[in-house]
Amino acid sequence: MTQRPFPDARRPANAGPKAAARNRAALVSAAREIYTESGLETPLSAIARRAGVGQGVLYRHFPDRAALAVAVLEENVRQIERAAAVPGADIAGLLGVLTWHQAESTAFVGVLHADGGGSHFDPPAYALTLSQRVEQALRKHLPDGHRLAARPDDLMLAVGMVSGAVAGRTREQRESRALAAWRLLGVEVGPVRPFEE
Amino acid sequence: MTQRPFPDARRPANAGPKAAARNRAALVSAAREIYTESGLETPLSAIARRAGVGQGVLYRHFPDRAALAVAVLEENVRQIERAAAVPGADIAGLLGVLTWHQAESTAFVGVLHADGGGSHFDPPAYALTLSQRVEQALRKHLPDGHRLAARPDDLMLAVGMVSGAVAGRTREQRESRALAAWRLLGVEVGPVRPFEE
C-alpha cells in the first residue's frame, strides 16, 4: 500500500535541512551587512531580498525583528568562542578578534557595555548572556600577571571601557578609537581581524 | 505728568528678575532630581510642581522638554568650569568633581561619550559643545607628564572610556564603577564631590 508522498517529499533540492541551515546563515549574514549600512530599523523584506530567500523563509527562522538581531549578535560571540577554542590561542589574539567585532558592529558594542551605557534600567537578558560568553572565552586565556588579571572585574570593565570609547561613522574610525583605548589601558592587542578557520 | 505704572511695577516681590533667576534655578534643580529618579520622560507638570512654580513659568523659561534637559546638562558642565576656575585647582580634584557628575547623571554620561556610544549617527550639537567645554576646563589643569597628557586625544578618550563603563542602578554603584575605571587607567582622582563655592 503506497501513501501519497507528503508535500515535502517533493520539495526542491534547496529545501532540505541543509538548505535550511544555509538559508539561516545567509539571512544572518545579510542582516549583519544591512545593519552595518543602515541600522537596525531596516525592513525585514530588504534583508530577505539580500539573502536571496522569500519572506516566508525569513519568518520561519526569525519570528520577529529582535530574534534576527540577537542571532546576528550571537554570531559575533560565536566567532570569539571559536577563536578561543583554537590550540595556541592567546589573549592578545582574542582581543584582536574582539576588536574587529567592536569596529564592525555598533550593536555588538552595545552588548559589551550593556550593563553600562548610562541606562537607568537593567540590560536585556540576551545582552548579559552574550557578554558572559565573551568573558568566558577571554578569561580562559588570561594569564596570571596580565594587566587585566589583577582583579576579577577588570577584564570586563576594560571591555566595557573600550566599547564606550568606540566612535565614528566608519569601520576604520571605530577600529582606530578601539585600539587607542586599548593602548591607553596598556593592553596588548593582536592583529584586528575576523576569526577564520 | 504721571504715567500709569506698568503692570510689572506692581508685581509681587517674587516676580522680578531676581525671582526669574530663582525660578529658573529651582526648575533646573527639580528637573535634575526628577530625571535621576524617573528618567527624562517625566511629565513637565511634575517638574513644575517640584520646583514650586506654575507650568506657565516653566514654559516661559523652557519652551520644550529638550531645552530643560540641556539646561540641566549645562549646569553639570558649569560646575566643572567653576571648579576649574578656583585658584589652586588641580586635575585630580577636577576629575573628582567630574566623577561626581558621572555618577549623578546618566544623561551627562551620555554627553561625555556622545561621539561614541555605538551610534551610527552624529551626536547632537549641544552634546559636542558641552563635551568641548569639559575638555577645556580639564585641559587647563593637565600638567605635562600627566598620564593623559602624552597625546592630544587621550584626555577625552579616557573621559569617554570611563563614561562608557559607568553602570548601575544606584549612584553608589555608578561611582564605584567610574572609580574602578579611572584606577584601571592609572589616573589619580581626588575626592568625589560636587563643586561647592
Side-chain angles (χ1 to χ4, degrees):
Chain A
M1 180 172 135
T2 52
Q3 279 195 310
R4 187 170 176 255
F6 288 105
D8 69 351
R10 292 175 303 166
R11 67 196 166 198
N14 70 346
K18 274 193 195 155
R22 256 199 320 272
N23 286 339
R24 190 182 189 282
L27 283 162
V28 170
S29 157
R32 175 186 308 282
E33 284 172 25
I34 286 186
Y35 291 161
T36 303
E37 292 159 20
S38 330
L40 288 170
E41 298 309 311
T42 316
L44 292 178
S45 56
I47 294 171
R49 220 166 21 246
R50 171 88 57 113
V53 307
Q55 267 187 268
V57 172
L58 187 154
Y59 286 114
R60 205 141 63 227
H61 287 285
F62 303 106
D64 58 32
R65 192 180 285 282
L68 183 54
V70 171
V72 170
L73 295 169
E74 210 199 352
E75 181 55 30
N76 294 80
V77 173
R78 201 169 299 147
Q79 282 217 16
I80 296 163
E81 289 175 332
R82 283 153 82 194
V86 167
D90 66 19
I91 187 73
L94 288 178
L95 292 177
V97 175
L98 175 76
T99 301
W100 190 87
H101 287 284
Q102 286 177 314
E104 182 74 7
S105 164
T106 53
F108 184 55
V109 160
V111 164
L112 295 176
H113 67 302
D115 62 341
S119 172
H120 281 276
F121 305 108
D122 290 325
Y126 76 83
L128 281 184
T129 306
L130 293 178
S131 164
Q132 281 160 3
R133 284 171 54 186
V134 170
E135 173 167 15
Q136 278 164 20
L138 298 176
R139 196 173 292 286
K140 250 194 284 187
H141 297 281
L142 194 69
D144 289 347
H146 188 276
R147 174 99 183 79
L148 301 179
R151 306 189 192 204
D153 289 346
D154 282 356
L155 176 61
M156 291 311 281
L157 178 60
V159 169
M161 290 168 74
V162 174
S163 298
V166 170
R169 294 173 75 88
T170 67
R171 185 178 206 305
E172 288 66 34
Q173 289 168 336
R174 294 193 297 269
E175 178 175 321
S176 141
R177 285 274 292 187
L179 288 174
W182 286 118
R183 178 188 48 70
L184 202 54
L185 282 168
V187 171
E188 189 203 347
V189 173
V192 176
R193 60 183 175 201
F195 172 68
E196 306 195 48
E197 282 171 293
Chain B
M1 177 169 132
T2 54
Q3 281 193 308
R4 186 164 177 258
F6 289 104
D8 70 351
R10 290 175 303 164
R11 68 197 164 195
N14 68 347
K18 275 193 195 154
R22 253 199 322 271
N23 285 341
R24 190 182 188 283
L27 283 161
V28 169
S29 156
R32 175 186 307 284
E33 285 172 22
I34 286 186
Y35 291 160
T36 304
E37 292 159 17
S38 330
L40 289 170
E41 298 311 311
T42 316
L44 293 177
S45 56
I47 294 171
R49 221 167 20 245
R50 171 89 56 113
V53 307
Q55 268 186 268
V57 172
L58 187 154
Y59 288 114
R60 203 143 64 228
H61 287 284
F62 304 105
D64 58 30
R65 191 179 286 282
L68 182 54
V70 171
V72 170
L73 294 170
E74 208 199 353
E75 181 56 32
N76 294 80
V77 173
R78 200 169 298 145
Q79 281 217 18
I80 296 163
E81 289 175 331
R82 283 153 82 194
V86 167
D90 65 20
I91 186 71
L94 288 178
L95 292 178
V97 175
L98 175 75
T99 300
W100 190 88
H101 287 285
Q102 287 176 312
E104 182 74 6
S105 165
T106 52
F108 183 57
V109 161
V111 164
L112 295 176
H113 67 301
D115 62 339
S119 174
H120 281 277
F121 306 107
D122 290 326
Y126 76 82
L128 281 184
T129 307
L130 293 179
S131 165
Q132 281 161 3
R133 283 172 55 187
V134 170
E135 174 167 13
Q136 277 164 21
L138 297 177
R139 196 173 291 286
K140 249 194 286 187
H141 297 280
L142 193 68
D144 289 346
H146 188 276
R147 174 97 183 80
L148 301 178
R151 307 190 191 202
D153 289 346
D154 281 356
L155 177 61
M156 292 311 280
L157 178 60
V159 169
M161 289 169 74
V162 174
S163 298
V166 169
R169 294 173 74 88
T170 68
R171 173 168 221 311
E172 287 66 34
Q173 289 168 335
R174 294 193 297 269
E175 179 175 321
S176 142
R177 285 273 294 188
L179 288 175
W182 286 118
R183 177 187 49 69
L184 202 55
L185 282 167
V187 172
E188 188 201 348
V189 174
V192 177
R193 60 184 177 201
F195 172 68
E196 305 194 50
E197 283 171 294

